[in-house]
Amino acid sequence: MLTRLVQISRPVLWVNTIGTTVIAMWLVGDLWRWEIVPLLLWVTLPFNLLIYGVNDIFDQETDARNARKGGLEGARILGSETRAIVLGVVLTNAPFVAYFLATLPAAALAWIAAYMVIFIFYSAPPLRFKARRYLDSLSNAAYAFPLVFVPLALGESPVWATAIGLMAWSVAKHTYDAVQDIDEDRAAGIQTTAVHLGARGAVVWSGAWWALSTVGFALINWPVAVVNALIAGWLVGSLGRSPTPMTARRMYRYSIAFPYVAGSVAGAQLVAVFLLKELL
């Protein structure tokens, strides 16, 4: 069952939570802090199981018709697994939540609470953001919340330009990736931003948000901004030339690689700065 829960948590996407948490620590000026360990452990299996376990429970109908489910891009669960998934989410997350309540300042707790609530109700009724146009995309700004609550948990101030830039980036990527599911979502009556705008409109929407993210990153680090603009421009241009779900599905592998590449550029620079400080 543990192996199954790990599969449901989509390890290939853990970079979105782990990477953001690590970058947040580096942005406060430290290569490593032991205080980060509880937060770092939480954003591995526990929090990703919360995101994707809840999603799989409430998306069983559409996932059953989605050919890309059942592998790295998301599990296809059975109704009989629902109870085990709920139990897994509670048992893995509750100890961390209890620890955070006892040790972290109120400001950090507020952002952590928002982080959890938004991802739960992205999929769960009655809010179910994923079935509400624009809210499905905008709610994914929560992926950037570690850039806010990690510094606050460590007694530091967030780097707001980076946090807002990543929020915009996450909004863009959600709609871009959702283009591949337009046909399945439309058949299920789910009105996502991608369904509402269509593939061509989603290209414009994603491009605008990625442009905003580039501005935010440029205020902090030009190399990251340039890499972001180049990759985003290529993704948007490729889909714009052939705005269909099939094209989006073909581009998805590159979209998954996007945060790995951009995060590596940012991380390598930050680590280099710390090493130079030690040498000098």
Side-chain angles (χ1 to χ4, degrees):
M1 192 62 214
L2 179 59
T3 301
R4 179 61 169 159
L5 291 177
V6 171
Q7 180 190 14
I8 290 168
S9 73
R10 305 185 198 180
V12 71
L13 300 181
W14 287 14
V15 65
N16 295 322
T17 54
I18 297 173
T20 310
T21 301
V22 171
I23 292 292
M25 176 182 63
W26 289 345
L27 285 173
V28 303
D30 290 301
L31 186 60
W32 178 254
R33 284 199 189 188
W34 285 104
E35 301 97 305
I36 198 72
V37 171
L39 285 166
L40 194 56
L41 290 175
W42 178 54
V43 298
T44 58
L45 173 63
F47 192 71
N48 282 283
L49 183 59
L50 180 147
I51 297 174
Y52 302 115
V54 173
N55 180 263
D56 288 345
I57 288 171
F58 291 101
D59 280 6
Q60 291 180 58
E61 181 182 348
T62 53
D63 286 351
R65 296 196 297 265
N66 194 327
R68 69 185 184 89
K69 297 296 183 179
L72 291 176
E73 297 180 31
R76 186 182 289 121
I77 70 166
L78 302 173
S80 59
E81 294 180 295
T82 297
R83 180 184 176 88
I85 294 170
V86 171
L87 190 61
V89 169
V90 172
L91 290 180
T92 56
N93 282 273
F96 289 98
V97 172
Y99 177 80
F100 297 152
L101 287 170
T103 61
L104 297 185
L109 290 173
W111 282 91
I112 288 173
Y115 194 46
M116 297 180 69
V117 168
I118 288 172
F119 279 117
I120 289 171
F121 287 106
Y122 173 79
S123 302
L127 300 180
R128 194 161 163 76
F129 298 132
K130 74 161 293 172
R132 300 175 185 270
R133 61 190 184 191
Y134 300 119
L135 287 179
D136 65 324
S137 183
L138 294 172
S139 65
N140 270 252
Y143 274 111
F145 284 11
L147 292 182
V148 180
F149 67 70
V150 169
L152 293 173
L154 298 176
E156 307 285 351
S157 297
V159 180
W160 285 107
T162 304
I164 293 171
L166 188 58
M167 289 178 193
W169 186 94
S170 301
V171 171
K173 187 173 185 298
H174 176 271
T175 300
Y176 186 91
D177 290 347
V179 171
Q180 64 187 310
D181 294 325
I182 283 178
D183 294 336
E184 291 83 359
D185 287 340
R186 183 179 287 126
I190 298 176
Q191 187 76 340
T192 65
T193 303
V195 169
H196 174 68
L197 295 176
R200 194 177 300 277
V203 167
V204 176
W205 170 269
S206 295
W209 284 102
W210 266 326
L212 178 60
S213 74
T214 299
V215 172
F217 297 150
L219 294 174
I220 303 300
N221 186 277
W222 275 103
V224 173
V226 170
V227 168
N228 185 72
L230 289 174
I231 298 176
W234 178 66
L235 289 174
V236 167
S238 297
L239 184 56
R241 285 191 294 273
S242 178
T244 66
M246 185 177 298
T247 303
R249 193 166 294 123
R250 188 173 66 251
M251 298 302 297
Y252 184 59
R253 70 186 70 180
Y254 306 110
S255 177
I256 287 180
F258 193 169
Y260 285 92
V261 176
S264 295
V265 171
Q269 291 180 82
L270 287 166
V271 171
V273 168
F274 292 127
L275 292 176
L276 285 173
K277 284 172 62 177
E278 289 296 324
L279 291 174
L280 298 176

